[in-house]
Amino acid sequence: MGTPTSPIDASRNRSPRVHDEVAAAGAVTVDGVELVSERLVLRPASESDLNFYFEMRNSPEILARADQEPKPRSLVERQLQGWIERWQEHGFGTWTIFDQDSDERLGRVELDPMGAGWAGISPGETEVGLIVHPAHWNQGIATEAAGLVASDCFTRAGVNHLVALTTSDNKASLRTLEKLGMRHRGQTQHESDPTTYEVYELARPAPRP
Ligand SMILES: CC(C)(COP(=O)(O)OP(=O)(O)OC[C@H]1O[C@@H](n2cnc3c(N)ncnc32)[C@H](O)[C@@H]1OP(=O)(O)O)[C@@H](O)C(=O)NCCC(=O)NCCS
């Protein structure tokens, strides 16, 4: 959440840099890292995901949560481009979640460096953001996908801890962060936005002796 937009929508454009590290988990793809569990495959977001993101972002359940007007396709396309470019700058970014068997798209997980202006949060702390298509809520998908991403960023990308921001009325999000083992760190507001967010944190596990 670099900017005080909805937690669902945080994203910015970044300049490209080639990423060529070898993954500790999953296979390296041209634009990033593919992560695999028994049920899910997480692939770096690509232009081919546009229809899915457009449809999901404008689904009634997400509109109700985001408390926003429908988003035009051109805006979703720009947002997707920013997610793709983030990979090249940071070596992490946005993954689209797929069902391993059917190859159906289910949602997305993203990692994004926080911007400036957040009380008690240093710029550059890595935020994890989650969204699952309403057709697939409450099947454990967000928890499983975020667990894969956390494990990858702690091992491969050298991230020390993750933060997540949500509002106190978002019970599904709060429960998901709790299931992920995240600790409540406090509250924050952006200097330009009166909304109060709950801040959760997950530290990189200590190495086993
Ligand atoms: C938050 C979100 C990503 C969770 O995705 P998901 O795949 O359904 O998550 P999971 O199935 O892994 O876990 C959801 C948990 O919340 C619980 N839950 C759902 N609605 C709830 C409610 N109203 N009150 C309390 N718990 C609730 C579920 O029962 C489940 O917990 P359980 O496994 O103990 O039963 C999804 O609801 C979503 O996309 N919401 C809109 C976007 C959003 O708010 N993102 C979070 C911003 S950080």
Side-chain angles (χ1 to χ4, degrees):
M1 184 172 300
T3 52
T5 55
S6 150
I8 295 167
D9 287 332
S11 113
R12 291 169 302 289
N13 287 335
R14 299 184 182 283
S15 58
R17 176 171 72 78
V18 174
H19 169 65
D20 62 359
E21 286 182 55
V22 175
V28 174
T29 68
V30 172
D31 296 313
V33 180
E34 192 171 288
L35 303 174
V36 182
S37 67
E38 215 166 285
R39 178 169 58 152
L40 306 175
V41 182
L42 276 55
R43 301 192 178 103
S46 76
E47 279 92 353
S48 64
D49 299 326
L50 178 59
N51 286 343
F52 170 71
Y53 283 125
F54 178 60
E55 193 274 319
M56 179 167 70
R57 181 60 186 76
N58 289 310
S59 65
E61 296 90 338
I62 297 295
L63 286 173
R65 289 280 172 98
D67 194 22
Q68 284 174 10
E69 295 296 309
K71 195 168 255 193
R73 193 177 170 87
S74 58
L75 212 59
V76 177
E77 192 168 13
R78 270 214 307 283
Q79 192 173 40
L80 176 58
Q81 197 52 44
W83 296 339
I84 293 167
E85 289 172 8
R86 196 185 306 148
W87 272 102
Q88 295 165 326
E89 182 172 356
H90 295 287
F92 56 70
T94 298
W95 284 264
T96 302
I97 308 168
F98 290 78
D99 180 283
Q100 168 105 247
D101 290 334
S102 66
D103 225 30
E104 182 183 6
R105 290 170 175 83
L106 306 175
R108 78 164 201 265
V109 186
E110 68 174 337
L111 296 182
D112 190 18
M114 295 286 295
W118 292 96
I121 300 179
S122 305
E125 287 192 63
T126 307
E127 180 191 14
V128 58
L130 292 164
I131 181 166
V132 168
H133 193 290
H136 305 287
W137 281 355
N138 300 328
Q139 297 170 23
I141 290 164
T143 308
E144 187 171 328
L148 282 172
V149 165
S151 151
D152 173 65
C153 75
F154 290 146
T155 52
R156 179 188 58 83
V159 173
N160 284 321
H161 70 274
L162 294 174
V163 293
L165 271 57
T166 192
T167 48
S168 59
D169 62 344
N170 193 341
K171 303 300 180 202
S173 172
L174 292 169
R175 175 70 189 132
T176 303
L177 301 180
E178 186 185 300
K179 288 198 296 175
L180 275 165
M182 297 189 89
R183 177 184 72 86
H184 188 232
R185 179 163 120 182
Q187 294 182 325
T188 190
Q189 282 180 330
H190 192 267
E191 59 192 12
S192 67
D193 176 10
T195 309
T196 298
Y197 293 94
E198 305 301 321
V199 183
Y200 282 76
E201 179 175 276
L202 184 68
R204 176 172 26 195
R208 292 197 184 147

